[in-house]
Amino acid sequence: MKSYRLSVLSAVAFAVACGAASNPDVAATAGNQQLSTTRLAEILGTSQAPLEKDVARSIAELWVNYQLVGMAAAKGDSLTDPKVMQDALWSNLDNIRVKKFYDNVSKGWDAQSPGSDEERYKTGEAYAARHILIKTDQGATPEQIAAAKAKAEGILKQATTANFVSLTARSDEPGAKERGGDLGLFGKGMMVPEFEKCVAAITIGEIGQTVCQTSFGFHIIYRTPFAEVAEKFAPIAKQRNVAIAESTYLAKLETDNAVKIESNATVKAKAIAKNPLGYMKDNDAIATYKGGKLSASRFAEWLAAYPPSSQIRPQLVQAPDTLVDKFVKQIVRNELVLRQADSAKATVDTAEMSNLFLNFKNAVTQTWTSLGIEPGKLADSAKAAGGDKEKIAGAKVEEFFAKLVKNEVPFVDVPYPVARAVQKKYTFGINEAGLDKVIEKAKTVRATSDSLKAKQGGNPAAPGAPAPAPAPDTTQK
Protein backbone atom coordinates (compact mmCIF):
# COMPACT_ATOMS: atom_id res chain seq x y z
CA MET A 1 0.00 0.00 0.00
CA LYS A 2 1.29 3.40 -0.89
CA SER A 3 2.30 5.68 1.83
CA TYR A 4 1.38 8.75 0.20
CA ARG A 5 -5.59 19.14 13.90
CA LEU A 6 -9.39 22.66 16.46
CA SER A 7 -10.76 24.57 14.07
CA VAL A 8 -8.61 27.11 12.27
CA LEU A 9 -4.98 27.48 13.39
CA SER A 10 -5.48 28.04 17.09
CA ALA A 11 -2.45 27.60 19.30
CA VAL A 12 -2.45 24.41 21.29
CA ALA A 13 -0.52 24.07 24.53
CA PHE A 14 -0.31 20.39 25.23
CA ALA A 15 0.75 17.95 27.88
CA VAL A 16 1.72 14.34 27.51
CA ALA A 17 2.00 11.73 30.26
CA CYS A 18 1.38 13.93 33.29
CA GLY A 19 1.74 17.31 31.69
CA ALA A 20 4.06 19.91 30.26
CA ALA A 21 5.85 22.55 32.23
CA SER A 22 3.66 25.57 32.97
CA ASN A 23 6.69 27.74 33.76
CA PRO A 24 7.13 30.16 30.81
CA ASP A 25 10.90 30.03 31.36
CA VAL A 26 10.91 26.31 30.55
CA ALA A 27 10.66 25.15 26.94
CA ALA A 28 10.48 21.41 27.60
CA THR A 29 10.69 18.84 30.36
CA ALA A 30 11.67 15.18 30.45
CA GLY A 31 11.31 13.57 33.87
CA ASN A 32 13.17 15.86 36.24
CA GLN A 33 15.21 17.46 33.45
CA GLN A 34 14.35 20.88 32.05
CA LEU A 35 15.29 22.70 28.86
CA SER A 36 15.16 26.40 29.65
CA THR A 37 13.87 28.97 27.19
CA THR A 38 17.15 30.84 27.59
CA ARG A 39 19.21 27.85 26.52
CA LEU A 40 17.00 26.95 23.59
CA ALA A 41 16.99 30.61 22.47
CA GLU A 42 20.78 30.63 22.58
CA ILE A 43 20.93 27.47 20.46
CA LEU A 44 18.47 28.82 17.91
CA GLY A 45 19.73 32.42 17.92
CA THR A 46 23.36 31.52 17.25
CA SER A 47 22.43 29.08 14.49
CA GLN A 48 21.56 29.74 10.87
CA ALA A 49 18.10 28.20 11.27
CA PRO A 50 14.94 30.27 10.76
CA LEU A 51 13.65 31.92 13.94
CA GLU A 52 10.37 30.07 13.80
CA LYS A 53 8.36 28.27 16.48
CA ASP A 54 8.26 25.05 14.48
CA VAL A 55 12.06 24.95 14.38
CA ALA A 56 12.27 25.62 18.13
CA ARG A 57 9.76 22.82 18.71
CA SER A 58 11.76 20.38 16.59
CA ILE A 59 14.91 21.06 18.63
CA ALA A 60 12.95 20.73 21.88
CA GLU A 61 11.47 17.40 20.72
CA LEU A 62 14.94 16.09 19.90
CA TRP A 63 16.17 17.09 23.37
CA VAL A 64 13.13 15.37 24.91
CA ASN A 65 13.77 12.14 23.01
CA TYR A 66 17.42 12.10 24.07
CA GLN A 67 16.50 12.67 27.72
CA LEU A 68 13.77 10.02 27.71
CA VAL A 69 16.13 7.48 26.21
CA GLY A 70 18.56 8.48 28.97
CA MET A 71 15.89 7.84 31.61
CA ALA A 72 15.29 4.37 30.20
CA ALA A 73 19.03 3.65 30.27
CA ALA A 74 19.32 4.85 33.89
CA LYS A 75 16.48 2.55 34.90
CA GLY A 76 17.99 -0.35 32.98
CA ASP A 77 14.78 -0.43 30.96
CA SER A 78 15.52 -1.95 27.56
CA LEU A 79 11.84 -1.53 26.59
CA THR A 80 11.59 -5.23 25.78
CA ASP A 81 8.10 -5.84 27.16
CA PRO A 82 6.27 -7.43 24.19
CA LYS A 83 3.29 -5.08 24.57
CA VAL A 84 5.61 -2.04 24.55
CA MET A 85 7.42 -3.28 21.47
CA GLN A 86 4.24 -4.17 19.59
CA ASP A 87 2.80 -0.72 20.21
CA ALA A 88 6.06 0.96 19.20
CA LEU A 89 6.25 -1.12 16.03
CA TRP A 90 2.62 -0.60 14.96
CA SER A 91 3.47 0.84 11.56
CA ASN A 92 5.90 -1.98 10.77
CA LEU A 93 3.34 -4.58 11.80
CA ASP A 94 0.60 -2.90 9.77
CA ASN A 95 2.84 -2.79 6.70
CA ILE A 96 3.45 -6.53 6.92
CA ARG A 97 -0.26 -7.30 7.31
CA VAL A 98 -1.20 -5.04 4.42
CA LYS A 99 1.47 -6.52 2.15
CA LYS A 100 0.18 -10.03 2.82
CA PHE A 101 -3.38 -8.91 2.10
CA TYR A 102 -2.32 -7.10 -1.09
CA ASP A 103 -0.28 -10.06 -2.30
CA ASN A 104 -3.49 -12.06 -2.22
CA VAL A 105 -6.04 -9.52 -3.49
CA SER A 106 -3.79 -8.24 -6.28
CA LYS A 107 -3.26 -11.59 -7.97
CA GLY A 108 -3.89 -11.12 -11.67
CA TRP A 109 -3.82 -7.32 -11.59
CA ASP A 110 -0.80 -7.21 -13.91
CA ALA A 111 -2.64 -9.31 -16.51
CA GLN A 112 -5.65 -7.00 -16.75
CA SER A 113 -5.17 -5.12 -20.00
CA PRO A 114 -7.34 -2.44 -21.63
CA GLY A 115 -5.79 -3.27 -25.01
CA SER A 116 -2.64 -4.44 -26.74
CA ASP A 117 0.66 -2.79 -25.89
CA GLU A 118 0.86 -1.15 -29.32
CA GLU A 119 -2.68 0.22 -29.03
CA ARG A 120 -1.89 1.63 -25.61
CA TYR A 121 1.33 3.18 -26.91
CA LYS A 122 -0.57 4.84 -29.73
CA THR A 123 -3.09 6.35 -27.31
CA GLY A 124 -0.26 8.01 -25.38
CA GLU A 125 -0.15 5.85 -22.26
CA ALA A 126 3.59 6.44 -22.51
CA TYR A 127 5.75 8.38 -24.95
CA ALA A 128 9.13 7.78 -26.54
CA ALA A 129 11.16 10.29 -28.54
CA ARG A 130 14.53 11.40 -29.79
CA HIS A 131 15.38 15.10 -29.94
CA ILE A 132 18.00 17.63 -30.96
CA LEU A 133 18.29 20.61 -28.62
CA ILE A 134 19.52 24.06 -29.53
CA LYS A 135 19.93 25.59 -26.12
CA THR A 136 18.96 29.09 -24.98
CA ASP A 137 20.30 30.40 -21.68
CA GLN A 138 18.22 32.14 -19.06
CA GLY A 139 18.38 35.88 -19.69
CA ALA A 140 19.12 35.39 -23.37
CA THR A 141 18.45 38.47 -25.51
CA PRO A 142 15.75 38.44 -28.20
CA GLU A 143 18.52 38.36 -30.80
CA GLN A 144 20.12 35.30 -29.20
CA ILE A 145 16.75 33.54 -29.00
CA ALA A 146 16.05 34.33 -32.64
CA ALA A 147 19.47 32.99 -33.65
CA ALA A 148 18.88 29.75 -31.74
CA LYS A 149 15.49 29.31 -33.37
CA ALA A 150 16.95 29.92 -36.83
CA LYS A 151 19.67 27.34 -36.18
CA ALA A 152 17.10 24.78 -35.03
CA GLU A 153 14.90 25.44 -38.06
CA GLY A 154 17.91 24.96 -40.28
CA ILE A 155 18.56 21.54 -38.79
CA LEU A 156 14.86 20.64 -39.07
CA LYS A 157 14.93 21.31 -42.81
CA GLN A 158 17.74 18.77 -43.17
CA ALA A 159 16.25 16.16 -40.85
CA THR A 160 14.77 12.89 -42.06
CA THR A 161 13.92 9.71 -40.20
CA ALA A 162 16.98 8.16 -41.85
CA ASN A 163 19.56 10.80 -40.82
CA PHE A 164 18.03 11.97 -37.52
CA VAL A 165 20.40 9.99 -35.30
CA SER A 166 23.47 11.36 -37.06
CA LEU A 167 22.15 14.92 -36.79
CA THR A 168 21.97 14.60 -33.00
CA ALA A 169 25.73 15.28 -33.03
CA ARG A 170 24.73 18.95 -33.50
CA SER A 171 22.61 18.95 -30.32
CA ASP A 172 23.63 21.15 -27.37
CA GLU A 173 22.54 18.47 -24.91
CA PRO A 174 25.47 16.64 -23.24
CA GLY A 175 25.70 13.02 -24.38
CA ALA A 176 23.13 13.45 -27.16
CA LYS A 177 25.44 12.18 -29.90
CA GLU A 178 26.34 9.04 -27.95
CA ARG A 179 22.72 7.99 -27.43
CA GLY A 180 21.31 9.43 -30.65
CA GLY A 181 19.20 11.96 -28.76
CA ASP A 182 17.15 9.12 -27.30
CA LEU A 183 14.97 10.10 -24.33
CA GLY A 184 13.62 6.59 -23.84
CA LEU A 185 10.11 5.95 -22.58
CA PHE A 186 8.47 8.55 -20.36
CA GLY A 187 5.02 8.85 -18.84
CA LYS A 188 2.66 11.78 -18.76
CA GLY A 189 3.90 14.59 -16.53
CA MET A 190 7.54 13.49 -16.62
CA MET A 191 8.62 16.16 -19.11
CA VAL A 192 7.95 19.89 -19.07
CA PRO A 193 4.41 20.55 -20.38
CA GLU A 194 5.53 22.32 -23.56
CA PHE A 195 7.70 19.38 -24.62
CA GLU A 196 5.04 16.78 -23.81
CA LYS A 197 2.46 18.73 -25.80
CA CYS A 198 4.79 18.83 -28.81
CA VAL A 199 5.47 15.10 -28.63
CA ALA A 200 1.76 14.27 -28.34
CA ALA A 201 1.04 16.29 -31.49
CA ILE A 202 3.57 14.38 -33.64
CA THR A 203 2.51 11.29 -35.54
CA ILE A 204 4.34 8.21 -34.25
CA GLY A 205 7.34 7.46 -36.46
CA GLU A 206 7.59 11.00 -37.81
CA ILE A 207 9.49 14.22 -37.11
CA GLY A 208 7.64 17.29 -35.83
CA GLN A 209 6.97 19.77 -38.63
CA THR A 210 7.99 22.75 -36.47
CA VAL A 211 10.59 23.27 -33.80
CA CYS A 212 9.36 23.02 -30.20
CA GLN A 213 10.23 25.82 -27.77
CA THR A 214 10.65 25.14 -24.05
CA SER A 215 12.53 26.82 -21.22
CA PHE A 216 15.58 24.81 -22.32
CA GLY A 217 15.61 26.10 -25.88
CA PHE A 218 14.40 24.78 -29.24
CA HIS A 219 13.87 21.08 -29.96
CA ILE A 220 13.63 19.09 -33.17
CA ILE A 221 11.64 15.99 -32.15
CA TYR A 222 11.32 12.54 -33.68
CA ARG A 223 8.55 10.43 -32.10
CA THR A 224 9.86 6.89 -31.82
CA PRO A 225 7.98 4.03 -33.56
CA PHE A 226 6.50 1.35 -31.30
CA ALA A 227 8.72 -1.39 -32.76
CA GLU A 228 11.80 0.35 -31.30
CA VAL A 229 10.39 0.43 -27.76
CA ALA A 230 8.15 -2.65 -27.64
CA GLU A 231 10.40 -4.59 -25.26
CA LYS A 232 10.72 -1.63 -22.90
CA PHE A 233 7.00 -0.84 -23.06
CA ALA A 234 5.83 -4.31 -22.00
CA PRO A 235 6.98 -4.15 -18.34
CA ILE A 236 5.75 -0.56 -18.09
CA ALA A 237 2.37 -1.70 -19.37
CA LYS A 238 2.21 -4.37 -16.67
CA GLN A 239 3.07 -1.81 -14.01
CA ARG A 240 0.36 0.41 -15.44
CA ASN A 241 -2.11 -2.50 -15.28
CA VAL A 242 -1.39 -2.91 -11.58
CA ALA A 243 -1.70 0.84 -10.99
CA ILE A 244 -5.06 0.99 -12.78
CA ALA A 245 -6.39 -2.06 -10.94
CA GLU A 246 -5.19 -0.75 -7.58
CA SER A 247 -6.70 2.68 -8.21
CA THR A 248 -10.02 1.05 -9.18
CA TYR A 249 -9.97 -1.15 -6.08
CA LEU A 250 -9.22 1.76 -3.73
CA ALA A 251 -11.79 4.05 -5.33
CA LYS A 252 -14.47 1.37 -4.89
CA LEU A 253 -13.35 0.83 -1.29
CA GLU A 254 -13.73 4.57 -0.67
CA THR A 255 -17.16 4.70 -2.29
CA ASP A 256 -18.46 1.59 -0.56
CA ASN A 257 -17.46 3.04 2.81
CA ALA A 258 -18.95 6.51 2.17
CA VAL A 259 -15.73 8.38 2.96
CA LYS A 260 -16.31 12.01 3.95
CA ILE A 261 -13.54 14.54 4.54
CA GLU A 262 -14.45 17.12 7.20
CA SER A 263 -14.60 20.78 6.13
CA ASN A 264 -11.68 21.79 8.35
CA ALA A 265 -9.52 18.80 7.42
CA THR A 266 -7.02 20.71 5.28
CA VAL A 267 -6.27 23.36 7.91
CA LYS A 268 -6.10 20.77 10.67
CA ALA A 269 -3.90 18.42 8.68
CA LYS A 270 -1.35 21.20 8.17
CA ALA A 271 -1.46 22.04 11.88
CA ILE A 272 -0.81 18.39 12.74
CA ALA A 273 2.09 18.29 10.28
CA LYS A 274 3.71 21.15 12.21
CA ASN A 275 3.17 19.54 15.59
CA PRO A 276 2.14 15.85 15.62
CA LEU A 277 2.83 15.45 19.34
CA GLY A 278 0.40 18.23 20.12
CA TYR A 279 -2.50 16.25 18.70
CA MET A 280 -1.80 12.78 20.10
CA LYS A 281 -4.86 13.10 22.39
CA ASP A 282 -7.17 14.90 19.97
CA ASN A 283 -10.07 12.59 19.14
CA ASP A 284 -11.84 14.96 16.75
CA ALA A 285 -12.53 13.50 13.32
CA ILE A 286 -10.90 14.91 10.22
CA ALA A 287 -12.60 12.27 8.09
CA THR A 288 -15.36 9.71 8.58
CA TYR A 289 -16.29 6.46 6.90
CA LYS A 290 -18.78 3.66 7.43
CA GLY A 291 -18.18 2.26 10.91
CA GLY A 292 -15.27 4.50 11.83
CA LYS A 293 -13.34 7.75 11.55
CA LEU A 294 -9.86 9.11 11.02
CA SER A 295 -9.18 11.09 14.20
CA ALA A 296 -6.64 13.87 14.54
CA SER A 297 -4.61 11.65 16.90
CA ARG A 298 -4.54 8.78 14.44
CA PHE A 299 -3.52 11.11 11.60
CA ALA A 300 -0.76 12.45 13.88
CA GLU A 301 0.47 8.89 14.45
CA TRP A 302 0.63 8.28 10.71
CA LEU A 303 2.66 11.46 10.17
CA ALA A 304 5.02 10.70 13.06
CA ALA A 305 5.72 7.26 11.60
CA TYR A 306 7.09 8.67 8.33
CA PRO A 307 10.90 8.89 8.42
CA PRO A 308 12.31 12.46 8.46
CA SER A 309 14.04 11.78 5.15
CA SER A 310 10.64 11.50 3.45
CA GLN A 311 10.04 15.22 4.11
CA ILE A 312 6.30 14.45 4.35
CA ARG A 313 5.65 16.91 7.18
CA PRO A 314 7.26 20.03 5.62
CA GLN A 315 5.82 19.15 2.22
CA LEU A 316 2.34 18.85 3.72
CA VAL A 317 2.65 22.23 5.44
CA GLN A 318 3.59 23.92 2.15
CA ALA A 319 1.32 21.92 -0.17
CA PRO A 320 -1.77 23.45 -1.81
CA ASP A 321 -5.08 22.51 -0.21
CA THR A 322 -6.03 20.13 -3.02
CA LEU A 323 -2.93 17.99 -2.41
CA VAL A 324 -3.47 18.03 1.36
CA ASP A 325 -7.02 16.80 0.79
CA LYS A 326 -5.71 13.97 -1.40
CA PHE A 327 -3.16 13.02 1.26
CA VAL A 328 -5.88 12.84 3.94
CA LYS A 329 -7.91 10.60 1.63
CA GLN A 330 -4.88 8.39 1.11
CA ILE A 331 -4.51 7.92 4.89
CA VAL A 332 -8.21 7.05 5.10
CA ARG A 333 -7.68 4.49 2.36
CA ASN A 334 -4.77 3.06 4.34
CA GLU A 335 -7.10 2.65 7.33
CA LEU A 336 -9.73 0.95 5.19
CA VAL A 337 -7.22 -1.46 3.68
CA LEU A 338 -6.00 -2.30 7.18
CA ARG A 339 -9.58 -3.13 8.12
CA GLN A 340 -9.80 -5.35 5.05
CA ALA A 341 -6.56 -7.05 6.09
CA ASP A 342 -8.03 -7.69 9.54
CA SER A 343 -11.14 -9.22 8.01
CA ALA A 344 -8.95 -11.44 5.85
CA LYS A 345 -7.03 -12.43 8.98
CA ALA A 346 -3.70 -11.29 7.55
CA THR A 347 -1.32 -11.65 10.48
CA VAL A 348 2.36 -11.30 11.36
CA ASP A 349 3.93 -14.69 11.94
CA THR A 350 6.30 -15.61 14.76
CA ALA A 351 9.46 -15.31 12.68
CA GLU A 352 8.50 -11.87 11.38
CA MET A 353 7.62 -10.68 14.90
CA SER A 354 10.90 -12.01 16.29
CA ASN A 355 12.86 -10.19 13.60
CA LEU A 356 11.06 -6.91 14.30
CA PHE A 357 11.65 -7.31 18.04
CA LEU A 358 15.34 -8.01 17.45
CA ASN A 359 15.72 -4.91 15.28
CA PHE A 360 13.92 -2.83 17.91
CA LYS A 361 16.21 -4.07 20.70
CA ASN A 362 19.26 -3.35 18.55
CA ALA A 363 17.94 0.17 17.86
CA VAL A 364 17.60 0.85 21.59
CA THR A 365 21.11 -0.41 22.28
CA GLN A 366 22.56 1.53 19.34
CA THR A 367 20.92 4.76 20.52
CA TRP A 368 22.30 4.30 24.04
CA THR A 369 25.77 3.62 22.67
CA SER A 370 25.72 6.61 20.33
CA LEU A 371 24.70 8.93 23.17
CA GLY A 372 27.26 7.38 25.55
CA ILE A 373 24.64 6.32 28.11
CA GLU A 374 24.85 2.54 28.17
CA PRO A 375 23.26 1.21 31.40
CA GLY A 376 26.48 -0.52 32.42
CA LYS A 377 28.52 2.67 32.13
CA LEU A 378 25.89 4.63 34.05
CA ALA A 379 25.98 2.03 36.83
CA ASP A 380 29.77 2.20 36.99
CA SER A 381 29.71 6.00 37.13
CA ALA A 382 27.09 5.99 39.88
CA LYS A 383 29.03 3.44 41.89
CA ALA A 384 32.30 5.32 41.55
CA ALA A 385 30.89 8.75 42.37
CA GLY A 386 28.05 7.65 44.63
CA GLY A 387 25.56 9.51 42.41
CA ASP A 388 22.10 8.97 41.04
CA LYS A 389 21.99 7.16 37.70
CA GLU A 390 19.16 9.32 36.35
CA LYS A 391 21.07 12.52 37.15
CA ILE A 392 24.19 11.10 35.58
CA ALA A 393 22.28 10.06 32.45
CA GLY A 394 20.68 13.51 32.24
CA ALA A 395 24.08 15.20 32.56
CA LYS A 396 25.59 12.99 29.86
CA VAL A 397 22.72 13.75 27.51
CA GLU A 398 23.14 17.48 28.20
CA GLU A 399 26.84 17.18 27.44
CA PHE A 400 26.14 15.37 24.17
CA PHE A 401 23.42 17.87 23.20
CA ALA A 402 25.75 20.81 23.85
CA LYS A 403 28.34 19.29 21.54
CA LEU A 404 25.73 18.41 18.92
CA VAL A 405 24.47 21.97 18.51
CA LYS A 406 28.10 23.03 17.97
CA ASN A 407 28.54 20.30 15.34
CA GLU A 408 31.23 18.66 17.46
CA VAL A 409 29.60 15.21 17.41
CA PRO A 410 27.61 13.34 14.74
CA PHE A 411 23.83 13.62 14.83
CA VAL A 412 22.09 10.71 16.54
CA ASP A 413 18.63 9.83 15.32
CA VAL A 414 16.18 8.28 17.78
CA PRO A 415 14.20 5.88 15.55
CA TYR A 416 10.45 6.43 15.61
CA PRO A 417 9.60 3.13 17.38
CA VAL A 418 12.11 3.91 20.15
CA ALA A 419 10.88 7.48 20.50
CA ARG A 420 7.26 6.29 20.63
CA ALA A 421 8.09 3.70 23.30
CA VAL A 422 9.83 6.14 25.67
CA GLN A 423 7.24 8.88 25.04
CA LYS A 424 4.47 6.48 26.01
CA LYS A 425 6.29 5.24 29.11
CA TYR A 426 7.90 8.32 30.65
CA THR A 427 6.78 11.81 31.59
CA PHE A 428 7.63 14.69 29.28
CA GLY A 429 6.15 17.93 28.03
CA ILE A 430 6.62 20.67 25.46
CA ASN A 431 5.60 24.13 26.70
CA GLU A 432 4.01 26.11 23.88
CA ALA A 433 4.15 29.37 25.87
CA GLY A 434 7.81 28.67 26.52
CA LEU A 435 8.45 28.23 22.80
CA ASP A 436 6.90 31.63 22.12
CA LYS A 437 9.33 33.11 24.62
CA VAL A 438 12.19 31.25 22.96
CA ILE A 439 11.53 32.99 19.64
CA GLU A 440 11.49 36.44 21.26
CA LYS A 441 14.76 35.76 23.09
CA ALA A 442 16.33 34.17 20.02
CA LYS A 443 15.71 37.36 18.01
CA THR A 444 17.83 39.30 20.50
CA VAL A 445 20.51 36.61 20.44
CA ARG A 446 20.53 36.61 16.63
CA ALA A 447 20.79 40.41 16.43
CA THR A 448 23.71 40.37 18.85
CA SER A 449 25.36 37.55 16.93
CA ASP A 450 24.92 39.32 13.59
CA SER A 451 26.30 42.55 15.03
CA LEU A 452 29.35 40.75 16.38
CA LYS A 453 29.87 39.01 13.06
CA ALA A 454 29.76 42.35 11.25
CA LYS A 455 32.34 43.86 13.61
CA GLN A 456 34.58 40.84 13.05
CA GLY A 457 34.47 41.27 9.30
CA GLY A 458 31.74 38.80 8.39
CA ASN A 459 33.00 35.69 10.17
CA PRO A 460 30.32 33.03 10.08
CA ALA A 461 28.07 32.66 13.09
CA ALA A 462 28.41 29.72 15.41
CA PRO A 463 27.18 26.51 13.77
CA GLY A 464 24.34 25.86 16.19
CA ALA A 465 21.28 23.95 15.09
CA PRO A 466 21.20 23.29 11.35
CA ALA A 467 18.30 24.67 9.38
CA PRO A 468 15.63 22.08 8.60
CA ALA A 469 15.78 20.66 5.10
CA PRO A 470 13.43 22.45 2.69
CA ALA A 471 10.63 20.60 1.00
CA PRO A 472 11.54 19.38 -2.49
CA ASP A 473 10.61 21.69 -5.35
CA THR A 474 7.71 19.99 -7.05
CA THR A 475 7.36 22.63 -9.76
CA GLN A 476 10.18 21.26 -11.89
CA LYS A 477 9.75 18.30 -14.15
Side-chain angles (χ1 to χ4, degrees):
M1 181 172 58
K2 293 184 177 68
S3 293
Y4 284 6
R5 271 172 27 177
L6 306 109
S7 53
V8 195
L9 283 173
S10 55
V12 181
F14 70 92
V16 183
C18 299
S22 58
N23 186 342
D25 292 325
V26 175
T29 61
N32 295 323
Q33 300 294 323
Q34 294 184 339
L35 175 63
S36 71
T37 56
T38 299
R39 185 178 180 210
L40 183 50
E42 186 70 22
I43 292 171
L44 187 57
T46 57
S47 75
Q48 298 177 9
L51 300 183
E52 299 173 358
K53 191 173 181 179
D54 294 338
V55 178
R57 184 186 293 111
S58 295
I59 300 172
E61 288 178 4
L62 179 63
W63 176 89
V64 163
N65 287 337
Y66 284 169
Q67 286 291 355
L68 294 181
V69 170
M71 288 175 62
K75 295 177 182 293
D77 181 4
S78 56
L79 307 167
T80 54
D81 180 283
K83 291 183 178 180
V84 171
M85 290 192 289
Q86 285 186 39
D87 177 78
L89 293 162
W90 73 270
S91 62
N92 305 76
L93 296 169
D94 284 354
N95 282 336
I96 292 174
R97 293 192 298 118
V98 166
K99 183 180 184 303
K100 289 185 176 182
F101 172 72
Y102 253 68
D103 286 346
N104 183 55
V105 77
S106 64
K107 289 178 180 177
W109 279 2
D110 61 346
Q112 298 178 19
S113 176
S116 70
D117 288 355
E118 185 169 6
E119 290 171 338
R120 294 167 70 177
Y121 179 73
K122 287 180 178 179
T123 59
E125 195 166 301
Y127 300 109
R130 296 178 185 271
H131 79 139
I132 299 167
L133 171 65
I134 302 304
K135 185 179 178 182
T136 56
D137 296 323
Q138 285 188 345
T141 65
E143 293 77 16
Q144 290 172 324
I145 294 174
K149 183 179 182 181
K151 181 178 179 180
E153 290 176 337
I155 296 173
L156 175 60
K157 290 178 180 179
Q158 303 173 41
T160 67
T161 56
N163 69 5
F164 194 91
V165 170
S166 63
L167 286 178
T168 60
R170 299 171 63 179
S171 177
D172 291 335
E173 182 186 24
K177 177 183 177 180
E178 289 73 19
R179 64 175 193 277
D182 189 13
L183 296 172
L185 277 165
F186 50 93
K188 292 182 178 180
M190 292 180 63
M191 297 292 183
V192 293
E194 301 87 352
F195 187 86
E196 182 178 310
K197 184 177 179 180
C198 289
V199 173
I202 300 171
T203 301
I204 294 173
E206 295 185 5
I207 298 170
Q209 295 181 4
T210 60
V211 296
C212 178
Q213 184 176 10
T214 71
S215 56
F216 298 99
F218 294 92
H219 310 255
I220 301 96
I221 305 173
Y222 168 51
R223 190 166 176 188
T224 312
F226 175 73
E228 294 183 23
V229 295
E231 291 185 5
K232 294 180 181 179
F233 186 82
I236 291 178
K238 281 193 173 185
Q239 293 173 11
R240 179 64 176 159
N241 292 343
V242 173
I244 292 172
E246 180 184 35
S247 179
T248 302
Y249 167 78
L250 292 174
K252 185 176 187 303
L253 190 63
E254 184 178 325
T255 301
D256 290 347
N257 285 275
V259 172
K260 178 186 176 184
I261 306 299
E262 296 298 317
S263 59
N264 67 336
T266 299
V267 171
K268 202 158 188 176
K270 289 192 174 190
I272 299 172
K274 289 183 177 182
N275 179 19
L277 280 178
Y279 292 88
M280 288 299 182
K281 292 188 176 183
D282 187 337
N283 199 41
D284 288 349
I286 61 175
T288 59
Y289 48 87
K290 191 180 296 184
K293 68 179 181 180
L294 174 64
S295 67
S297 59
R298 180 61 172 170
F299 187 74
E301 288 178 339
W302 275 102
L303 286 186
Y306 280 95
S309 59
S310 71
Q311 289 291 300
I312 287 295
R313 288 171 56 184
Q315 286 188 77
L316 199 60
V317 171
Q318 298 175 21
D321 291 354
T322 53
L323 290 183
V324 177
D325 185 68
K326 287 182 179 180
F327 184 81
V328 172
K329 284 186 178 181
Q330 182 60 52
I331 298 301
V332 174
R333 286 178 168 184
N334 291 353
E335 293 283 275
L336 293 175
V337 173
L338 279 169
R339 194 162 69 172
Q340 294 282 91
D342 287 337
S343 298
K345 301 189 184 306
T347 59
V348 179
D349 63 38
T350 302
E352 292 166 330
M353 187 72 78
S354 296
N355 187 55
L356 287 176
F357 282 2
L358 177 61
N359 290 337
F360 177 83
K361 293 172 185 177
N362 288 338
V364 173
T365 301
Q366 181 60 48
T367 305
W368 283 344
T369 301
S370 299
L371 294 174
I373 52 172
E374 300 97 312
K377 289 185 177 180
L378 294 178
D380 291 341
S381 297
K383 184 177 181 180
D388 180 272
K389 285 190 288 186
E390 285 193 36
K391 289 184 179 180
I392 294 173
K396 284 185 174 293
V397 168
E398 291 293 343
E399 181 183 354
F400 177 88
F401 196 71
K403 291 180 180 179
L404 177 64
V405 298
K406 294 178 182 178
N407 291 332
E408 294 176 357
V409 291
F411 174 76
V412 174
D413 177 46
V414 181
Y416 167 72
V418 178
R420 179 179 172 89
V422 292
Q423 288 171 5
K424 288 273 189 117
K425 199 165 187 179
Y426 299 109
T427 303
F428 77 96
I430 306 289
N431 185 5
E432 293 292 317
L435 295 182
D436 289 329
K437 196 167 184 178
V438 166
I439 299 305
E440 293 307 312
K441 288 186 175 184
K443 290 177 182 178
T444 301
V445 173
R446 178 71 59 85
T448 302
S449 176
D450 289 346
S451 176
L452 180 61
K453 182 176 68 172
K455 289 180 180 179
Q456 293 176 343
N459 288 333
D473 183 357
T474 58
T475 62
Q476 297 180 355
K477 299 292 183 181

